[in-house]
Amino acid sequence: MRTTRPGRNGALTVEAAGCVLWRRSPVTGELELCLVHRPKYDDWSWPKGKLKRGEDPLAGALREVAEETGHTAVPAAELPSTRYLAQGRPKRVRYWAAEAVSGTFTPNDEVDRLLWLPPDVARRHLTSPMDAGLVDALLRTLRPAP
C-alpha cells in the first residue's frame, strides 16, 4: 500500500523517500555518490521509492536503498525534499544523506545498473535537474562550517 496525504488541490500526495548514498572510493579515498538506473523510466536517479502504509520515512528510505542498491547505509542529515507531479498526482520525496557501509549490488527488474561517481560527474549524470541540487545539499552536510 502507498502512503498518501491530501495535497493542496485535494489530490492525494504520494509519499516517497530515498537517500543520497555516498562512500569513500576504495581506490582513491575520494567522495563518490551512488546513482541508480531504472530501466522502466530509462533514467539515472537517487535510490528512492514509495513508502508503505504507515512506514516511517527514514525507515522507508533505508529500505529502498537496500532493495535498489544492495547496500546498508548509515543515515545522517535530512536533505531537502523534492515535489513534482507523477502520473498526474502530486508526489513528495524526502531524502537523507547516508553513508554506504556494506553490500553488493545485484541487478534486478527495478534497477539494472548502479554507478559510483564523483559529485560533479554525478550532478551531470542525473536525468532530472531537480535531483542535481541534492548534490550540493549533501556536500554542505559533509563539510564542517567555517
Side-chain angles (χ1 to χ4, degrees):
M1 286 291 186
R2 295 184 179 126
T3 302
T4 57
R5 66 180 179 79
R8 290 183 199 153
N9 62 359
L12 292 179
T13 297
V14 175
E15 297 291 334
C19 292
V20 178
L21 190 64
W22 65 274
R23 71 176 186 185
R24 293 289 170 186
S25 166
V27 176
T28 66
E30 295 295 315
L31 180 66
E32 295 180 327
L33 308 183
C34 179
L35 301 185
V36 296
H37 180 262
R38 303 178 304 165
K40 179 178 179 180
Y41 303 105
D42 190 24
D43 70 350
W44 288 95
S45 65
W46 307 115
K48 66 181 178 298
K50 295 179 188 98
L51 296 175
K52 296 178 181 179
R53 185 178 304 278
E55 185 175 32
D56 174 77
L58 177 54
L62 295 173
R63 174 184 53 76
E64 287 291 337
V65 164
E67 289 175 3
E68 293 188 357
T69 71
H71 287 78
T72 57
V74 175
E78 186 169 3
L79 302 173
S81 297
T82 59
R83 294 175 186 272
Y84 54 95
L85 287 178
Q87 298 175 342
R89 292 181 57 195
K91 184 172 184 177
R92 177 176 75 152
V93 185
R94 292 177 64 182
Y95 287 98
W96 281 265
E99 182 179 7
V101 292
S102 65
T104 303
F105 174 67
T106 303
N108 57 63
D109 291 342
E110 195 173 351
V111 174
D112 63 350
R113 289 182 280 164
L114 178 145
L115 292 174
W116 289 100
L117 300 171
D120 287 342
V121 177
R123 184 184 290 111
R124 292 189 305 269
H125 206 78
L126 287 158
T127 301
S128 173
M130 81 177 125
D131 285 345
L134 290 166
V135 173
D136 295 324
L138 172 74
L139 294 176
R140 284 191 297 273
T141 71
L142 297 179
R143 293 186 181 134

